[in-house]
Amino acid sequence: MNSILMRFVRAFTSLFSKPVFEKIKVLIVGAILSPASRTVTNALRVMGLSGERSFLKYHRVLARDRWSSLWAGKILLNSLLKGFGSTDE
C-alpha cells in the first residue's frame, strides 16, 4: 500500500484491537478505492474479498465492536489539519 495512505490508516491504530484493526485497514482502503457507494460490501469487493468466508465479521466491526466514533473523528480531523499544513493542534 502507498506509504502516505498507510500513515493515514495507522493513525487509527489506537482505537482497535490488533485483529479488528486488520479488518479496519481493509475497509478504509476499500472505501477509498470504491467507485460505487461506500458500503462494507463494495469495500470488500474492491479489495478482492467478495468471496470472503468471514464476510460478516467485517460488518460487525462497524455494528458491534466497541470503538469511539468521536475519537475517530478527532484523529481524522488532526490528520486533515496536518495534511493541509496547519501547525495548530
Side-chain angles (χ1 to χ4, degrees), residues 1 21-31 33 39-59:
M1 259 189 258
F21 188 66
E22 293 304 312
K23 290 175 180 49
I24 289 295
K25 287 191 299 188
V26 171
L27 293 175
I28 290 173
V29 175
L33 297 175
T39 64
V40 172
T41 303
N42 283 333
L44 291 175
R45 186 176 298 126
V46 165
M47 297 300 289
L49 298 172
S50 58
E52 177 69 31
R53 294 183 141 230
S54 59
F55 190 82
L56 187 58
K57 290 181 182 180
Y58 288 89
H59 284 275

Side-chain angles (χ1 to χ4, degrees), residues 2-73:
N2 183 316
S3 62
I4 294 171
L5 179 57
M6 277 313 298
R7 220 175 321 142
F8 170 74
V9 172
R10 277 192 219 113
F12 295 90
T13 305
S14 63
L15 293 175
F16 307 99
S17 67
K18 186 172 178 148
V20 171
F21 188 66
E22 293 304 312
K23 290 175 180 49
I24 289 295
K25 287 191 299 188
V26 171
L27 293 175
I28 290 173
V29 175
I32 290 169
L33 297 175
S34 180
S37 60
R38 291 348 184 238
T39 64
V40 172
T41 303
N42 283 333
L44 291 175
R45 186 176 298 126
V46 165
M47 297 300 289
L49 298 172
S50 58
E52 177 69 31
R53 294 183 141 230
S54 59
F55 190 82
L56 187 58
K57 290 181 182 180
Y58 288 89
H59 284 275
R60 285 186 190 141
V61 166
L62 300 176
R64 284 198 220 162
D65 285 341
R66 303 181 95 184
W67 57 280
S68 170
S69 59
L70 183 60
W71 191 249

